[in-house]
Amino acid sequence: EAGVTQSPTHLIKTRGQQATLRCSPISGHTSVYWYQQALGLGLQFLLWYDEGEERNRGNFPPRFSGRQFPNYSSELNVNALELEDSALYLCASSPDFYEQYFGPGTRLTVT
Amino acid sequence: RKEVEQDPGPFNVPEGATVAFNCTYSNSASQSFFWYRQDCRKEPKLLMSVYSSGNEDGRFTAQLNRASQYISLLIRDSKLSDSATYLCAVNSPSGTYKYIFGTGTRLKVLA
């Protein structure tokens, strides 16, 4: 069974630009979670999507947004990039709102 | 006080040793608990769920102490391959399904 996939693997942007990150969940999983993991810090919850709807969001500014498509894949958009947005962005999917399975992540570097 | 706290370590132990980590949580209404393993620059991988009755998977034992609000992970007969960062995750209550991760405990098993 294919795991969670994310693209791109690496992304380099300059301050002020927009970044789009993509995630495909495990087949049959309808929930997708996004996390930010900055260097030396833990996973910070960003967003939770289920059945196409945003169900919850963490303490991040509105320039972090996303959506979930009818096939349950998801997109995370970060507008007006700031240097401190440089981090590993992880997507996870879940079959039951409990156990989460992570993708390999997108490493975003903002210069 | 952080919602979920872990000793960052590192815990340096010889091969074959038994090592235990704790993870404390602040919200007494938390419902679900998990341990994840994260290798350097990789995504977290689900290690085990933590049930009220405790659970064991080979050399790994997880326990929940609701009265003192912590979960624990015990690793017996440590292997070099157990070297990683161990993250605990707590699922917030009330249907929000918002996961809070600890910052992780780093384990180094020495030959």
Side-chain angles (χ1 to χ4, degrees):
Chain A
E1 181 184 86
V4 177
T5 60
Q6 291 186 245
S7 64
T9 304
H10 294 91
L11 191 57
I12 300 174
K13 294 285 187 178
T14 56
R15 198 169 52 183
Q17 286 188 316
Q18 179 198 36
T20 299
L21 289 63
R22 296 180 177 84
C23 170
S24 291
I26 292 171
S27 177
H29 292 190
T30 62
S31 275
V32 170
Y33 300 79
W34 286 96
Y35 294 88
Q36 181 195 68
Q37 189 175 34
L39 193 63
L41 299 178
L43 276 74
Q44 302 296 313
F45 169 72
L46 267 165
L47 291 158
W48 169 39
Y49 292 96
D50 182 61
E51 297 283 0
E53 300 281 334
E54 181 181 303
R55 301 295 185 182
N56 204 350
R57 66 179 293 131
N59 296 325
F60 281 85
R63 59 190 187 83
F64 287 84
S65 65
R67 53 181 172 165
Q68 187 178 35
F69 300 100
N71 67 354
Y72 304 117
S73 66
S74 178
E75 197 172 84
L76 173 69
N77 294 294
V78 188
N79 293 320
L81 284 164
E82 300 179 1
L83 295 178
E84 53 264 34
D85 296 334
S86 294
L88 179 67
Y89 288 83
L90 292 158
C91 168
S93 73
S94 175
D96 56 10
F97 309 138
Y98 294 105
E99 298 177 348
Q100 298 192 353
Y101 299 88
F102 285 84
T106 293
R107 193 163 296 278
L108 173 64
T109 302
V110 183
T111 62
Chain B
R1 182 184 172 190
K2 289 183 180 177
E3 291 183 83
V4 176
E5 288 195 85
Q6 294 183 255
D7 182 339
F11 283 56
N12 296 323
V13 302
E15 266 188 297
T18 295
V19 62
F21 313 130
N22 284 343
C23 166
T24 59
Y25 60 94
S26 61
N27 192 329
S28 60
S30 297
Q31 297 177 337
S32 305
F33 309 88
F34 307 90
W35 283 103
Y36 285 80
R37 170 195 169 124
Q38 186 172 27
D39 292 293
C40 188
R41 300 182 72 83
K42 297 283 192 178
E43 74 273 22
K45 292 190 188 300
L46 179 64
L47 187 62
M48 56 201 309
S49 303
V50 187
Y51 305 120
S52 296
S53 56
N55 50 312
E56 186 173 315
D57 183 3
R59 298 181 293 107
F60 298 82
T61 300
Q63 293 194 314
L64 167 64
N65 186 316
R66 282 197 184 273
S68 300
Q69 294 182 207
Y70 73 89
I71 60 173
S72 63
L73 178 68
L74 180 79
I75 305 175
R76 288 181 297 276
D77 189 22
S78 299
K79 312 288 185 192
L80 294 175
S81 57
D82 293 333
S83 296
T85 296
Y86 291 84
L87 307 173
C88 63
V90 176
N91 187 343
S92 287
S94 306
T96 62
Y97 299 109
K98 176 181 172 182
Y99 284 80
I100 311 294
F101 279 80
T103 52
T105 296
R106 191 172 165 207
L107 171 66
K108 295 178 72 174
V109 181
L110 307 171

